[in-house]
Amino acid sequence: QVQLVESGGGLVQPGGSLRLSCTASGSISNNMYRMGWYRQAPGKQRELVADISSDSRTNYADSVKGRFTISRDNTINTVHLQMNDLKPEDTAVYYCRWTSWRPGEYYWGQGTQVTVSS
């Protein structure tokens, strides 16, 4: 089992910034895992925002490219999502996901609310 603890959500005005963090703990025996952030807005499906591989290759949704940056610190099993120039359409619950090197094994965090509003 892997547990994920998220932090950093909140209310911000359009154009503002937030930084989300997610720390994994539990049955993690090496760094060969992928971590990422997904989001789900009311009435919409959960979608990938950004993720990062074990060797720090990144992948971003087109809607956040140039505004969001994902990074990871393997020494503390943590991933960060720096979100700049936030827009109202970024409003959603953001979920951290940890994906194992073992096929079909992944875990979700509890979610953190991000609201962009004036």
Side-chain angles (χ1 to χ4, degrees):
Q1 289 282 335
V2 173
Q3 296 78 43
L4 302 173
V5 177
E6 302 154 339
S7 62
L11 171 65
V12 64
Q13 292 187 342
S17 298
L18 283 174
R19 188 184 194 220
L20 305 183
S21 296
C22 175
T23 298
S25 62
S27 301
I28 303 170
S29 58
N30 57 51
N31 293 326
M32 299 300 291
Y33 56 84
R34 192 173 195 92
M35 290 187 77
W37 289 95
Y38 292 68
R39 67 186 181 188
Q40 189 166 18
K44 294 189 175 182
Q45 289 189 329
R46 192 171 297 188
E47 62 176 2
L48 173 69
V49 177
D51 65 7
I52 185 165
S53 69
S54 58
D55 58 354
S56 295
R57 288 174 294 161
T58 58
N59 180 39
Y60 294 94
D62 287 343
S63 59
V64 306
K65 284 181 181 177
R67 300 188 296 124
F68 291 10
T69 302
I70 190 169
S71 60
R72 65 188 277 168
D73 184 342
N74 290 335
T75 63
I76 53 173
N77 297 323
T78 296
V79 64
H80 304 290
L81 184 68
Q82 179 66 42
M83 305 186 293
N84 298 329
D85 190 23
L86 283 159
K87 306 176 186 298
E89 52 264 41
D90 294 317
T91 296
V93 178
Y94 283 68
Y95 296 91
C96 177
R97 172 169 158 154
W98 184 94
T99 304
S100 172
W101 61 95
R102 291 185 284 266
E105 181 181 3
Y106 57 91
Y107 300 90
W108 292 101
Q110 79 281 4
T112 184
Q113 177 70 46
V114 171
T115 302
V116 184
S117 175
S118 55

